[in-house]
Amino acid sequence: MRLSYKAMLTALLTGTAARAFTSLPRSRIARHRLSTATSLLQATPATSYDDGSSPIQITTPIYYVNDKPHIGHAYTSLACDVLARYMRLSGRDVYFLTGTDEHGQKVQQTAASRGMDPQSFVDEVSSSFRELLTLMNVSHDRFIRTTEESHKLAVQHLWNVLLERGDIYLGSYEGWYSVRDECYYNESELVDGKAPTGAEVVWLKKEDSYFFRLSDYQHRLLEYYRDHPEFIAPESRRNEVVNFVEGGLKDLSISRTTFDWGVKVPNDEDHVMYVWMDALTNYISALGYPDTKDGGNFAKYWPAGLHVVGKDILRFHTVYWPAFLMAAGLPLPKRIFAHGWWTKDGEKISKSLGNVIDPVELVDTYGVDPTRFFLMSEVTFGNDGDFSDEKMIYKINANLSNELGNLNQRIMTLVFKNCDGAVPSEIGPLTEEDEQLLATAASLSQRTGEEISKQAIHKYVDHMISMVWDANKYIDVQAPWVLKKTDQERMRTVLYVLMEVMRHVAILYQPLMPASSNMILDQLGIPKDERKFEHLAKEECKILLGRTISKPTAVFPRFEVPETAKA
C-alpha cells in the first residue's frame, strides 16, 4: 500500500533525536584532519550584480486572482523560497515579497459572472494563494494585495511624479487588446489572430486614454541592457527583450474608461490605471514607497536584488517597469530572471484538456518536501519542464528514498546498534579516503553558493545529489558492517565521518527541503541553533563524540504505486 502523506509526516515527526550531550575528547589527529578538511568553506560568492552580503529583496510576481493557484504559481514561489532560505542561512538580511494582483477588467468580469462584487471575489481568491504558500512552507516576509489602501496611494504618487515630469499625456487609443493577458498587442505581434500567448484579442474602439511616453525610453533601455548584461536572465530571454525594444517602442496606453475596478487616476476619476502600472508598483509600495528616507525598508532593500517571473510576463518587467522607474528617477532592480512553463505528459496545460496540475493535490499525494524537491530539480531553471506522475514517483524513490533516505537510515541504524545508542566516543586516525570525502563535503557550501548566486537552482540540487552518491559509494566500499567483526575502531571512524558528511548535507538541503532536512539534523543530534551555514566549518559545531542518539526512523519512505494505478 502507498503511504499517505499524513502517514509519512507521522513517521517523520517521531524521529526527533534525544538531546543528551556527552562531551568526550576527540582524537588529536582526527581533530586536526577534520579541521583541515572543512577549511575549504567560503562565503557565498559575489557577482557583478550582487555583492553577496547586503540586504536583498527577492520577489515573485504578484499573482493575478482570476482563478485559484496552479503549478506555475507554486513553481515561482518555491524558487524564490529556496533562494531566500539559502541566503538567510548564509547570514543575509532577506526581504521576500509575494502577493496578489487584484484589479483589472478580467477580475471585474469574472466576479460578475459569479454573482459577486469584485472586492468579495478577490478576498476569496487571494486567500487561496496565502493558503498555498502556507501549505508549501514558503517563508515570505510580506504578502501584498493591490487592493490595500497604502498600495493605491503609492501608485497614485508614482503617477503624479510621472505626470509632473512630462511623461504622461492624455490622448486616445484603439487597437488589439487581450483581456486575459491585460495587454495591448500590435498587429504584427498577432499569431493566427491571437496574442503570442494564445489568448484571444479584441479590437478596442477608440477611447480616451492617458499615455506614458515609452517611446522616449527606447534608447535608454537599450543602453542599460548593453551596460548591464546581467539585468535580464537567462540569456535567451535577454535577447528576446533586446530584439523587441530594437523593433521600436510606441507610447503605452496606461488608463481605461470602459471599466472601473482599478486604481483611480488622480484628478480624473473617469479613468482607472492600466493594471500593469498598478501591479508593478507593488515592488516598491511594499517597501513603504513613497517614503524613501533612510531607515525605512525602501532605503534598505531597494533596488530589488532579484525579480523572478514567468516568461509570459517578461516584457512588463523588463521594458515597462524599468521605463517607469527611469522616468521617476528611481533605481532599477538589479536582476530579472524569467523561468519557463510546465507541460503535462508532453501536452500544454489547459482547462479545456482537463490536465491542469493542482499543487494542493501534489502535496496531498506526495508530501511537501518531495513536491518541492521534484519541482526544483526536474528541469533546468529557466527552461520549460514537463510533469508526469511517473517522473515524480521515480525521482522521489531514486533520489530521496533510495539514496538520501536510505543512506541516513543505514548510518544512524549502524551507529545506534553498534555504538551503544550514541555517537562513537573515540575514533581513529583518518585515511586518505576519509579526508577526500570530508573535503568534498566541506566544499559543498562554496559550490552550491555559486549556483544559487546565478539562480541555477537545478545545479545546486545536482551538487547535493552528487554528494549523497559519493557518501553511498564510500559506505559501500568501507563496509562498516564488516568492520564490526574485524576492526571496530575503524568502524567507529567510518561511521563518524559519515555522520559529519550527513551534517553538511542536511544543513545545505534546508533551503530545498526544510522539514525533512531538520528531521535528519534532529537524528544527528545537531542543536537547533547550530544549523546555519556559518556552523559548517566551526570546530565546536561538528558531530559531538559520545552524544546519545535516539532510534532512527525513515525520513523518506518509498512511494509505492497502488495496484489499481499499476493496472
Side-chain angles (χ1 to χ4, degrees):
M1 288 292 291
R2 182 189 70 188
L3 280 173
S4 69
Y5 177 58
K6 288 184 178 179
M8 290 185 190
L9 188 58
T10 300
L12 296 179
L13 290 174
T14 57
T16 305
R19 294 289 178 197
F21 302 110
T22 307
S23 299
L24 293 174
R26 179 180 285 140
S27 155
R28 181 177 298 175
I29 296 176
R31 176 187 290 273
H32 169 72
R33 291 184 174 178
L34 282 169
S35 179
T36 300
T38 56
S39 66
L40 297 173
L41 279 171
Q42 296 183 15
T44 302
T47 64
S48 59
Y49 54 87
D50 180 19
D51 64 13
S53 60
S54 298
I56 183 172
Q57 184 194 38
I58 297 174
T59 74
T60 72
I62 50 173
Y63 302 124
Y64 205 49
V65 294
N66 193 51
D67 206 342
K68 67 179 184 178
H70 54 66
I71 192 173
H73 303 119
Y75 186 58
T76 315
S77 298
L78 288 177
C80 289
D81 187 54
V82 170
L83 297 170
R85 285 178 181 271
Y86 194 100
M87 292 180 186
R88 289 194 197 104
L89 286 165
S90 300
R92 292 191 73 173
D93 180 352
V94 177
Y95 190 92
F96 173 13
L97 173 67
T98 188
T100 45
D101 173 12
E102 303 180 10
H103 290 132
Q105 185 177 11
K106 183 164 56 175
V107 168
Q108 187 168 1
Q109 289 177 347
T110 304
S113 71
R114 299 189 184 183
M116 301 175 70
D117 65 273
Q119 187 63 58
S120 298
F121 173 73
V122 298
D123 287 347
E124 179 181 296
V125 181
S126 180
S127 66
S128 69
F129 282 86
R130 282 183 182 271
E131 290 164 2
L132 177 65
L133 296 175
T134 300
L135 178 68
M136 304 205 78
N137 200 6
V138 173
S139 62
H140 57 287
D141 298 290
R142 171 83 156 89
F143 187 98
I144 189 170
R145 300 180 59 187
T146 57
T147 49
E148 295 174 15
E149 195 60 31
S150 60
H151 171 77
K152 295 177 186 177
L153 293 174
V155 176
Q156 290 176 328
H157 179 87
L158 179 62
W159 178 285
N160 284 331
V161 170
L162 301 184
L163 184 65
E164 290 167 6
R165 294 182 177 222
D167 281 304
I168 291 178
Y169 65 91
L170 182 63
S172 61
Y173 177 83
E174 63 179 347
W176 295 108
Y177 183 74
S178 165
V179 176
R180 191 188 81 180
D181 296 344
E182 297 285 4
C183 181
Y184 305 95
Y185 290 104
N186 298 325
E187 183 86 37
S188 60
E189 294 181 90
L190 302 185
V191 179
D192 296 328
K194 294 184 178 182
T197 61
E200 299 290 338
V201 294
V202 294
W203 181 262
L204 293 183
K205 296 180 180 179
K206 194 170 185 179
E207 65 172 310
D208 288 344
S209 175
Y210 284 94
F211 285 79
F212 172 71
R213 297 185 190 276
L214 183 64
S215 59
D216 288 356
Y217 291 88
Q218 178 174 336
H219 296 299
R220 284 187 62 183
L221 287 168
L222 289 172
E223 286 178 4
Y224 194 85
Y225 302 151
R226 182 196 65 208
D227 296 341
H228 300 83
E230 74 287 348
F231 178 60
I232 304 169
E235 187 176 359
S236 60
R237 301 301 167 205
R238 180 180 180 275
N239 294 338
E240 176 186 324
V241 172
V242 170
N243 290 337
F244 173 76
V245 176
E246 284 180 339
L249 295 178
K250 295 181 179 180
D251 289 351
L252 179 67
S253 173
I254 55 171
S255 76
R256 298 287 302 279
T257 60
T258 53
F259 63 93
D260 60 5
W261 182 241
V263 178
K264 300 293 184 182
V265 168
N267 302 313
D268 191 346
E269 293 206 349
D270 290 337
H271 289 253
V272 295
M273 292 187 203
Y274 174 50
V275 68
W276 277 103
M277 184 170 188
D278 167 9
L280 291 164
T281 307
N282 94 91
Y283 301 125
I284 55 177
S285 68
L287 297 176
Y289 179 84
D291 180 2
T292 60
K293 297 189 299 291
D294 288 346
N297 279 343
F298 184 90
K300 186 177 184 181
Y301 295 108
W302 192 261
L306 178 67
H307 291 326
V308 177
V309 302
K311 66 180 183 180
D312 54 323
I313 54 175
L314 183 64
R315 179 192 306 180
F316 308 107
H317 286 81
T318 57
V319 181
Y320 301 165
W321 181 225
F324 293 159
L325 292 168
M326 286 177 175
L330 296 173
L332 273 60
K334 295 178 182 178
R335 186 164 170 91
I336 300 167
F337 192 101
H339 63 72
W341 291 338
W342 282 89
T343 55
K344 173 76 181 299
D345 298 317
E347 291 187 310
K348 182 179 178 180
I349 295 173
S350 70
K351 286 184 179 180
S352 60
L353 292 175
N355 64 349
V356 174
I357 303 171
D358 184 346
V360 175
E361 292 181 2
L362 287 185
V363 171
D364 287 345
T365 303
Y366 300 106
V368 177
D369 281 355
T371 299
R372 290 172 63 106
F373 179 85
F374 177 82
L375 293 179
M376 291 294 98
S377 64
E378 176 63 12
V379 297
T380 298
F381 192 60
N383 292 356
D384 292 341
D386 184 63
F387 176 89
S388 73
D389 288 288
E390 291 79 9
K391 289 178 184 177
M392 188 159 186
I393 292 170
Y394 175 81
K395 202 162 191 69
I396 290 171
N397 286 340
N399 296 140
L400 297 185
S401 180
N402 295 352
E403 293 166 10
L404 176 59
N406 188 49
L407 174 64
N408 181 69
Q409 185 79 357
R410 292 167 83 188
I411 296 168
M412 300 310 297
T413 299
L414 285 167
V415 171
F416 187 80
K417 288 184 176 180
N418 300 316
C419 303
D420 300 321
V423 180
S425 57
E426 293 181 0
I427 61 174
L430 301 181
T431 65
E432 182 179 346
E433 291 78 10
D434 301 338
E435 289 183 321
Q436 183 176 1
L437 186 67
L438 287 167
T440 303
S443 69
L444 193 57
S445 177
Q446 179 187 352
R447 289 181 285 125
T448 57
E450 289 172 352
E451 306 300 357
I452 288 292
S453 71
K454 298 177 288 189
Q455 297 82 54
I457 299 174
H458 58 290
K459 290 186 179 180
Y460 152 57
V461 185
D462 286 346
H463 285 300
M464 300 302 298
I465 291 172
S466 180
M467 184 72 251
V468 173
W469 285 348
D470 289 345
N472 271 305
K473 181 179 179 181
Y474 171 88
I475 194 173
D476 287 340
V477 171
Q478 299 298 324
W481 49 89
V482 175
L483 291 171
K484 176 186 176 183
K485 302 174 183 178
T486 60
D487 188 344
Q488 292 204 6
E489 181 186 64
R490 180 61 189 154
M491 176 200 72
R492 291 192 296 270
T493 305
V494 167
L495 292 175
Y496 185 86
V497 168
L498 284 164
M499 291 183 75
E500 180 62 17
V501 169
M502 188 57 69
R503 181 177 74 93
H504 282 256
V505 169
I507 286 175
L508 285 162
Y509 248 142
Q510 288 177 100
L512 184 64
M513 300 183 290
S516 302
S517 298
N518 279 284
M519 300 293 178
I520 294 174
L521 291 167
D522 285 344
Q523 292 190 21
L524 291 168
I526 307 302
K528 293 189 184 297
D529 59 355
E530 294 183 5
R531 299 182 181 187
K532 292 185 177 180
F533 296 166
E534 67 180 288
H535 298 119
L536 288 169
K538 289 185 176 180
E539 182 73 22
E540 65 272 19
C541 296
K542 292 170 183 165
I543 299 293
L544 189 62
L545 291 172
R547 175 183 289 159
T548 301
I549 64 170
S550 59
K551 186 176 181 179
T553 57
V555 178
F556 295 107
R558 184 174 176 80
F559 191 93
E560 299 295 343
V561 181
E563 291 300 320
T564 52
K566 291 179 181 178

